Amino acid sequence: MEERLESYLNLLCQRAKELGVSEAVAIPATDIGVDERVALKCLAPRCPFYGTNLMCPPNVMPISQFQNVLKHYHGAILLKMDSVPSGPPEELTGPVEITEIWEAFKAAGGEEKPPSTPTTDYLRALRNNLEGIYKITSQIEALCLEEGYHFAAGLSATGCLLCDQCVGPGEPCRHPLKARPAMDALGIDVGATVKKAGMQLSFAQKETRSWVWLILVD
Ligand code: SF4
């Protein structure tokens, strides 16, 4: 990676930490793993975002196209935000369906909020984290634009959750300047990329959850 870009990425990592991320690592774009098998994981088991969220497959750029796009980038920063200080409550750690978790997650952000319970509190904390992530991503992108890196593009840690219910295919996005595709929606192998960057992530059910996302810079 070119020296000027590397030093700018390190500066962005420092800024991201000041904005509240737990960890930020500058990586060469060649360290971003893309694997077509990630697409299968959207379907087996089927994710509730699949087909319904504008920022998830098959509503986003195909993996093959993203692979070509990625070849033109030279660097990126990988960011991690620890979600909540404790692991999920018991009812979310058992053998529950992903759609049940998703319904509970949506309800936690609704205008008529369900009463405070360990589950709703936990899900609300996750939603608050996501709002922070969207904000930090936009701030970092703006810095890149000012510096002349006009192809800077942030990808999300998950399918878009800016609305409680996405408008879905065929309808215009409600927040077109904020919404961004999920890393895995474009075929990024998040686990492999995180590992190569030397970040530690736990997938244990009862551990603290972390959001990981990426900003391509060029
Ligand atoms: S901002 Fe709303 S409408 Fe747009 S992709 Fe996200 S959830 Fe869907």
Side-chain angles (χ1 to χ4, degrees):
M1 189 167 34
E2 182 195 89
E3 205 177 309
R4 176 178 173 261
L5 177 61
E6 190 174 0
S7 95
Y8 187 61
L9 294 178
N10 287 328
L11 197 79
L12 289 178
C13 288
Q14 198 183 319
R15 182 70 187 123
K17 285 181 196 160
E18 287 162 11
L19 291 170
V21 309
S22 328
E23 200 174 341
V25 183
I27 57 171
T30 45
D31 280 3
I32 300 169
V34 178
D35 191 321
E36 300 232 2
R37 287 174 295 181
V38 176
L40 182 65
K41 296 297 286 176
C42 297
L43 288 166
R46 189 182 176 100
C47 172
F49 286 129
Y50 186 85
T52 62
N53 193 287
L54 291 184
M55 294 296 120
C56 282
N59 304 317
V60 292
M61 172 187 293
I63 294 177
S64 54
Q65 191 181 352
F66 178 68
Q67 277 172 317
N68 284 328
V69 167
L70 193 56
K71 285 180 193 157
H72 297 281
Y73 280 91
H74 295 92
I77 56 170
L78 193 63
L79 305 163
K80 182 170 104 168
M81 171 96 86
D82 289 332
S83 56
V84 281
S86 62
E90 200 55 46
E91 55 266 49
L92 289 179
T93 56
V96 289
E97 291 287 322
I98 192 167
T99 42
E100 287 175 36
I101 295 178
W102 172 233
E103 288 306 322
F105 194 90
K106 282 196 294 181
E111 280 184 10
E112 288 193 20
K113 291 197 166 136
S116 176
T117 65
T119 299
T120 56
D121 290 348
Y122 177 79
L123 293 170
R124 270 182 212 140
L126 286 185
R127 289 188 71 109
N128 288 343
N129 274 145
L130 278 172
E131 279 166 24
I133 286 171
Y134 289 121
K135 203 168 161 191
I136 292 168
T137 303
S138 300
Q139 286 172 304
I140 298 284
E141 276 176 347
L143 289 176
C144 293
L145 291 180
E146 276 171 25
E147 195 63 24
Y149 292 102
H150 61 283
F151 283 116
L155 304 178
S156 171
T158 177
C160 186
L161 291 163
L162 285 166
C163 310
D164 286 332
Q165 186 74 52
C166 184
V167 292
E171 295 295 326
C173 174
R174 292 192 193 104
H175 303 285
L177 298 180
K178 285 188 184 170
R180 45 196 77 247
M183 289 169 75
D184 39 2
L186 297 174
I188 294 178
D189 181 342
V190 179
T193 305
V194 161
K195 194 171 171 192
K196 196 152 193 176
M199 263 186 188
Q200 298 294 320
L201 270 192
S202 169
F203 293 100
Q205 287 268 333
K206 297 196 176 187
E207 296 288 319
T208 299
R209 296 298 172 93
S210 302
W211 297 110
V212 174
W213 75 108
L214 183 83
I215 303 177
L216 295 163
V217 181
D218 224 309

